[in-house]
Every structure is written in C-alpha cells, then in structure tokens.
Amino acid sequence: MSENFLTIVNLSKWYGNGNIHVLDNINLDVFRGEFVSLLGPSGCGKTTLLRIIAGLEKQDKGEVRLKGEQIVGPGQDRVMVFQDYALFPWRTVLGNILFGLEVRKIKKEEALKIAQNYIKLVNLEGFENSYPHELSGGMKQRVALARALVCDPEILLMDEPLAALDAQTRNMMQSELVRIWSATKKTIIYVTHSIEEAVYLSDRVIIFTPRPAKVKKIVKVDIPRPRDRFSREFVELRAKIYEQLH
Ligand SMILES: Nc1ncnc2c1ncn2[C@@H]1O[C@H](COP(=O)(O)OP(=O)(O)OP(=O)(O)O)[C@@H](O)[C@H]1O
Ligand SMILES: [Mg+2]
C-alpha cells in the first residue's frame, strides 16, 4: 500500500556548497489518507523536507516517489500551506479561493460552484467578498485551506499553519482541521513545534534529531477521534514524545 503512495528513500540534503548537512538519509512511507506530523528541533530540516516533497527544492541524494512516480518538481498533486497564510491581499476571499481554478482555466461558472463548496466546507459563508485584512487569523487560515483544497491535491504539506494563532483559536482550528481532513480524506504532512498539536491531529508523529535531521522515532497515535487532550492516554503519549524530543 505504502509503496503506491508517498515514499521517501535514502533522502539527503546539504546547503552551502555541501557545508551544511540538513537531511541525513531520511526513509519514510506515508499512507494515502494519513495525517502525519513532523516534530523536531528548530533548524533541523523540517521545512526543507516539506519543500523537497513539494518539488520546490532538490535533494542531493535519494528520492521521493508519489504513487510510484519520482517527484522532480512542483505539481498539482501537492500543495503547501504556510503559517503566514500567503493570501493575495488584493483579492477577496472568493478571489483567493478561485485563484487555483483560474490558473487551471476552469470555466467561470464551474469554478464558482467548486469554490462555493469549499467556502462552505471551511465555514466562511458570508465572507466571500471580504478582503484578507478584514479577517481574523483563524479565518485567514480557513481561506488558505480552502485555496489549497480547491484544486483537489493528493497531499497537503502544512508548515506550522496554526503557529501564529492564539491558543484558543488554535485549538478550535485543530478540531476544524480534523473535521476537514476527515471530510476530504486528504493525506496531510504537518510540521509543528507543538507536541500536543501533533498528538491531537496525527495518525503518526515522526520525531527528528537535531540537524542533520534523521528519523529518530515514529510514534503511532492510536487514540480515537475526537481526542480528549486531558485523557490519560493523551497525556501519557505527550510525555513519551517529550522524552524522545529532549
Ligand atoms: N536556502 C537555504 N540556504 C542555506 N541554508 C538553508 C537554506 N534553507 C535552510 N537552510 C538551513 O538549513 C537548516 C534547516 O532549515 P529548515 O528551515 O529546514 O529547518 P526547520 O526544521 O524547518 O526549522 P524551524 O523549526 O525553525 O522552522 C537550517 O540550518 C537553515 O539555516
Ligand atoms: Mg521550518
């Protein structure tokens, strides 16, 4: 099963003419529909790994395959979602979400229908004509999510997407993310610094060493969703991951 979805094989990466070793022989399989979180010390290479999967960066050794095909550049099957939302400030909510469909030259009427579905999915009905500066952080991240999903990618690559939000909004967006993930059945690779967030969201948590990043430990989260952050099993798993990280 895994061989047919995302497979990372012996992946290594250096920056600075080979002086900065960032990724050290990463091997990882991600299953279709899986929610996987990447946890590791700052600067260990998590964003670099996401960028290689996105096809925005080239590795020096090894390969990444998606459904058996080697990734050699960006593609519509993968889309990144960032902490700073990366919305177009001059476009409305609807305009932002329509963007990917315009690029793909989808007919206006059909594009509007698709966009409206995703606006509903992320609970932004009524805000179609608002501009990003008129939205809260949580709402901007909903727009970013809808804009990512609208082109129906296989994989969402999310780089600390909720890190800029206050604690309460962040918790709310975590449960929204689980709902949207369940509804769309997308595969999500999710970088976070929050152990709690990783345990709340993920099927598996991949723990990396300090740079150069190696896979240190893979922790399976077998707690049924929606997860209770205060349950004994949740707290125990958090502690176990904390120990692995430090
Ligand atoms: N374009 C680049 N050129 C040179 N060095 C880079 C480049 N991009 C990243 N690096 C270096 O590679 C290392 C890994 O960076 P990366 O951004 O992948 O880490 P990270 O795990 O995402 O960190 P954080 O948790 O702080 O976001 C860092 O030492 C960084 O300085
Ligand atoms: Mg990073």
Side-chain angles (χ1 to χ4, degrees):
M1 183 164 83
S2 63
E3 295 76 34
N4 299 329
F5 205 62
L6 189 81
T7 315
I8 300 172
V9 190
N10 299 335
L11 196 78
S12 292
K13 170 80 182 170
W14 286 261
Y15 281 121
N17 296 323
N19 290 321
I20 308 167
H21 194 183
V22 181
L23 302 176
D24 185 11
N25 202 42
I26 308 280
N27 285 280
L28 182 67
D29 284 337
V30 177
F31 309 110
R32 184 194 289 279
E34 198 180 15
F35 200 126
V36 168
S37 286
L38 312 183
L39 265 182
S42 186
C44 78
K46 303 177 295 295
T47 296
T48 304
L49 180 58
L50 274 198
R51 287 176 56 82
I52 291 173
I53 299 170
L56 300 169
E57 195 87 62
K58 272 222 87 54
Q59 67 271 28
D60 295 298
K61 278 189 182 162
E63 60 181 29
V64 184
R65 287 196 298 267
L66 180 58
K67 296 197 284 187
E69 296 256 325
Q70 199 175 330
I71 288 172
V72 291
Q76 276 172 14
D77 44 11
R78 289 150 287 137
V79 57
M80 293 262 296
V81 177
F82 305 93
Q83 176 183 335
D84 64 4
Y85 323 117
L87 300 176
F88 302 120
W90 60 88
R91 281 183 169 231
T92 62
V93 167
L94 180 63
N96 268 280
I97 295 169
L98 279 172
F99 178 75
L101 300 167
E102 289 170 12
V103 170
R104 284 169 63 196
K105 307 237 184 306
I106 309 284
K107 285 213 191 75
K108 181 94 193 219
E109 201 175 320
E110 197 195 336
L112 275 171
K113 214 188 273 173
I114 298 171
Q116 205 57 48
N117 271 335
Y118 283 98
I119 286 171
K120 206 158 147 191
L121 177 72
V122 301
N123 276 327
L124 277 176
E125 282 167 303
F127 294 94
E128 290 84 348
N129 298 319
S130 303
Y131 285 88
H133 76 268
E134 299 171 309
L135 305 176
S136 70
M139 291 163 87
K140 282 184 213 171
Q141 201 49 274
R142 288 171 194 269
V143 180
L145 253 175
R147 191 183 57 179
L149 286 166
V150 83
C151 289
D152 202 24
E154 299 264 6
I155 303 182
L156 287 181
L157 302 165
M158 308 188 77
D159 199 357
E160 305 191 47
L162 308 183
L165 304 177
D166 64 90
Q168 210 182 336
T169 308
R170 185 166 177 165
N171 280 5
M172 192 251 291
M173 285 303 292
Q174 287 168 1
S175 52
E176 283 290 273
L177 200 53
V178 170
R179 177 182 64 79
I180 291 164
W181 168 71
S182 309
T184 58
K185 302 192 160 60
K186 296 296 173 197
T187 305
I188 298 185
I189 304 179
Y190 192 97
V191 172
T192 179
H193 277 284
S194 162
I195 299 173
E196 177 178 317
E197 181 164 276
V199 174
Y200 185 82
L201 295 171
S202 320
D203 293 316
R204 286 187 300 155
V205 180
I206 320 297
I207 301 168
F208 291 97
T209 63
R211 185 174 70 77
K214 282 189 276 288
V215 175
K216 184 176 184 191
K217 178 103 184 160
I218 298 181
V219 179
K220 205 164 165 21
V221 187
D222 266 331
I223 308 171
R225 297 180 177 90
R227 291 174 180 161
D228 173 5
R229 297 165 205 271
F230 300 103
S231 71
R232 204 186 54 153
E233 45 185 353
F234 194 105
V235 173
E236 278 174 5
L237 202 57
R238 251 180 80 170
K240 181 179 159 191
I241 293 174
Y242 182 89
E243 265 170 41
Q244 287 293 334
L245 253 180
H246 294 88

